[in-house]
Amino acid sequence: MPTLNEISYNILNIARSGIATDDDRISMRQIKYWVRYHRALIVKQLAQANQYLEPQYFQDMGCVELEEVDKASCPDPAWGCDIKKAVIPKIITFSRKKATSFIGLIDKQTPITLTTPNVVAFAKHKKYTNKMRRAYFINDDLYVEFDNTLYKDLKYINIRAIFEDPMVVNFCDESGGCSCLSDDDEYPLPLNMIEKVTQDVIAKEIRPIITFPNDQLNDAKDVDVTVDKQATR
């Protein structure tokens, strides 16, 4: 997969027809934002059309640390029942469902059932499923509950999901080292979707901007539209 820099520079090069200039009205930072924005839109469109989401969209967070918190999330009074909580970057949401492919133990094979807070309150009292591992989201925070004392001291879980901004997603290993993607790392976008993102960014974001007069002087100064029109008569 190409990097964010490669995708963005390709879009900029197409937009300016291969001509290098120091008077670009479009910054690389802006183009990278558009790439992230249109990637998220494409994921939602694919999901709404019930189409396959390729594995390249998903990011593996490695070992996600769990924090023990009180259910009430209030300093006083406490509810008196501790649960596990993980603070993670915002996951893309569609049709009331988070774009997750796996939430579970760090063996990446043992799942934790993703449900809702209301279901957890009743499910723990069911005869055959009261020992299940369950997780639920409240806003963007993930909460995990274990009725089995075997997992009481669990400190880490694994999450694989499609995040709104791939660049803020930490991958943490068992040694505690964490790192985010750089602009020169492979970007979580399938190769066959790069053309779609490029076309959308150019048509919907860049084309309205480049319809204004170009700076032909290449002097790092703003264009005087009046002078520019007179010069072309």
Side-chain angles (χ1 to χ4, degrees), residues 2-19:
T3 68
L4 181 58
N5 269 336
E6 289 172 336
I7 298 170
S8 302
Y9 275 108
N10 180 57
I11 292 172
L12 181 61
N13 194 47
I14 293 172
R16 63 189 184 190
S17 302
I19 300 173

Side-chain angles (χ1 to χ4, degrees), residues 26-202:
I26 306 168
S27 69
M28 285 299 298
R29 183 177 181 181
Q30 182 68 64
I31 292 176
K32 290 174 183 178
Y33 167 78
W34 285 331
V35 170
R36 293 195 294 268
Y37 170 72
H38 282 280
R39 170 186 174 273
L41 283 181
I42 287 173
V43 168
K44 288 195 174 188
Q45 290 167 0
L46 290 173
Q48 289 169 357
N50 292 320
Q51 295 188 29
Y52 176 63
L53 290 171
E54 298 181 58
Q56 289 87 348
Y57 286 113
F58 293 84
Q59 289 174 272
D60 189 322
M61 292 191 68
C63 300
V64 180
E65 187 173 5
L66 293 173
E67 173 190 5
E68 193 168 277
V69 297
D70 186 80
K71 268 193 174 182
S73 298
C74 299
D76 187 34
W79 188 258
C81 182
D82 291 336
I83 57 175
K84 306 283 187 176
K85 173 184 175 182
V87 179
I88 60 177
K90 188 173 180 62
I91 296 174
I92 290 178
T93 303
F94 43 81
S95 301
R96 300 181 181 179
K97 181 180 179 182
K98 297 282 187 180
T100 59
S101 64
F102 180 80
I103 295 176
L105 305 187
I106 57 175
D107 63 358
K108 302 187 180 184
Q109 295 178 327
T110 308
I112 297 172
T113 302
L114 185 60
T115 183
T116 65
N118 295 337
V119 170
V120 170
F122 294 100
K124 66 174 68 176
H125 301 294
K126 292 184 177 180
K127 181 176 181 180
Y128 298 106
T129 61
N130 61 343
K131 299 299 181 182
M132 287 180 61
R133 302 171 292 270
R134 292 183 175 85
Y136 54 89
F137 282 97
I138 297 180
N139 296 324
D140 295 320
D141 294 331
L142 179 68
Y143 294 86
V144 183
E145 290 196 27
F146 302 101
D147 285 333
N148 194 328
T149 56
L150 177 65
Y151 300 103
K152 184 179 180 180
D153 297 326
L154 188 71
K155 295 182 178 179
Y156 299 97
I157 58 172
N158 177 248
I159 298 173
R160 296 193 295 275
I162 306 178
F163 298 92
E164 283 196 354
D165 185 358
M167 309 309 291
V168 300
V169 179
N170 267 329
F171 175 83
C172 300
D173 56 31
E174 293 182 357
S175 65
C178 297
S179 61
C180 292
L181 290 178
S182 75
D183 291 352
D184 293 315
D185 289 323
E186 290 188 344
Y187 194 68
L189 181 68
L191 195 62
N192 62 327
M193 280 296 168
I194 292 176
E195 182 180 3
K196 168 69 172 168
V197 169
T198 300
Q199 290 174 345
D200 286 352
V201 171
I202 291 175

